[in-house]
Amino acid sequence: MSTTPPVLAAELALAWADIQRHHPELPDLAAPESLIGESSSACGAELSFERLLHEAVHGIAASRGIRDTSRAGRYHNRRFLAVAEELGLDHADEPHPSSGFSLVTLSPEARRRYRPTIERLARALKAHTAATATDSARSFRGPAARHGSSGGGVRVKAVCDCGRNVRVVPSVLAQAPIVCGGCGKPFRIPEVAAVG
């Protein structure tokens, strides 16, 4: 079950469709929620149209059978860069030592082409942030949030009935059950009792 607000999911789908209009070989966006709430320092820490276009580069590379990253997806190579340029992303002249050419930005031309879409998505993201904001003075978000990077999403402990546990990004667990090899039952994120 998706926890993505319908408005934000719809806006992400519309923005993706706008990119597809200009680049028909881009595959469909299967799960907008996979982009929400997860951060990857290699692909961009927060969701924005620029990040969506970055992810579209990966989608087109995959559809073409191009290996555009290495080092477990952290290092973005020159093949990534070539597709990024096609989609209207600018880049530094030299690669970053650990992430390669992942730090791309919208070119002025792409910014003009997608301006209405960028503005609409920004409004939806702002509304989503306001709706999901919590009292940060009283909420513990963990070390990854404090340091600004989660290395692929903030992981939480999921447990199974036999007592084994794994660390997992909640949205990954929501996509399909992860089954314990020891007891054959699915891992779950335990309910946290409200402190009050």
Side-chain angles (χ1 to χ4, degrees):
M1 180 174 152
S2 171
T3 58
T4 305
V7 172
L8 182 54
E11 287 301 334
L12 283 166
L14 286 172
W16 193 263
D18 193 20
I19 299 168
Q20 284 179 311
R21 191 167 55 84
H22 296 282
H23 304 280
E25 68 184 300
L26 177 62
D28 291 338
L29 181 61
E33 58 273 13
S34 67
L35 298 172
I36 301 168
E38 290 187 38
S39 66
S40 167
S41 57
C43 294
E46 63 182 60
L47 188 54
S48 65
F49 184 80
E50 193 170 79
R51 164 93 188 277
L52 197 62
L53 201 56
H54 176 124
E55 295 300 336
V57 172
H58 291 302
I60 288 176
S63 73
R64 293 178 182 174
I66 296 171
R67 185 169 176 203
D68 63 343
T69 63
S70 59
R71 300 181 195 164
R74 289 185 310 271
Y75 191 87
H76 293 58
N77 59 34
R78 290 191 185 278
R79 291 181 294 275
F80 169 85
L81 186 59
V83 179
E85 288 173 343
E86 288 179 40
L87 271 68
L89 291 167
D90 287 337
H91 57 85
D93 291 334
E94 295 298 319
H96 184 275
S98 63
S99 62
F101 293 102
S102 70
L103 304 173
V104 290
T105 58
L106 280 170
S107 68
E109 179 185 327
R111 194 172 300 282
R112 281 190 298 277
R113 176 187 310 140
Y114 294 111
R115 185 173 159 240
T117 301
I118 291 167
E119 291 171 354
R120 200 173 54 239
L121 183 59
R123 284 192 300 273
L125 287 165
K126 184 177 180 181
H128 172 73
T129 300
T132 58
T134 58
D135 179 3
S136 60
R138 297 185 41 84
S139 299
F140 178 72
R141 294 181 55 219
R146 287 195 313 272
H147 298 294
S149 172
S150 63
V154 176
R155 289 164 176 77
V156 297
K157 183 164 82 172
V159 298
C160 72
D161 290 341
C162 71
R164 297 179 72 207
N165 65 70
V166 295
R167 291 284 192 189
V168 63
V169 177
S171 64
V172 171
L173 192 60
Q175 291 172 10
I178 297 174
V179 179
C180 175
C183 70
K185 294 187 179 174
F187 284 94
R188 60 184 168 67
I189 298 170
E191 295 294 322
V192 178
V195 178

